[in-house]
Amino acid sequence: MDTENKMKVILNKRKKLNLNDDYGIRRSWDKIVQVLGENEGNTLKYLDNCSAEDLYWISEVFEDIAEILQSKELINCLRKLDDKFPELNMTKDIDIAESYIENP
């Protein structure tokens, strides 16, 4: 199953979770991070085509994805998406994610 289909399944389940379902939310986050942490190229391609709604849910774990991928390209991609969807107010989340990238 490709990244887009995997994420569709995960995000559909995540959107249905009760706000107080800490265990379910944590499991969803772990699955999102696992899928988007597998391959930088696939992740960037997926994010470039991501809807605003899906991006909103993924923004919960930007820092975890950044920590795994250690990619400036990921941060650049997220900044472009922040410009594309300013209503999501992701700038702080992206700044935090960028802090998880180790400087050589």
Side-chain angles (χ1 to χ4, degrees), residues 66-67 70-72 75 97-104:
E67 185 174 29
Q70 292 294 308
S71 167
K72 286 286 189 186
I75 300 303
E98 187 170 32
S99 76
Y100 278 72
I101 296 178
E102 298 172 12
N103 295 319

Side-chain angles (χ1 to χ4, degrees), residues 78-96:
L78 295 176
R79 297 237 185 255
K80 288 177 191 171
L81 292 168
D82 193 25
D83 290 341
K84 183 177 178 180
F85 302 113
E87 69 277 9
L88 295 180
N89 298 313
M90 299 183 298
T91 305
K92 287 183 183 179
D93 295 326
I94 297 167
D95 290 344
I96 292 168

Side-chain angles (χ1 to χ4, degrees), residues 1 21 92:
M1 192 182 308
D21 185 356
K92 287 183 183 179

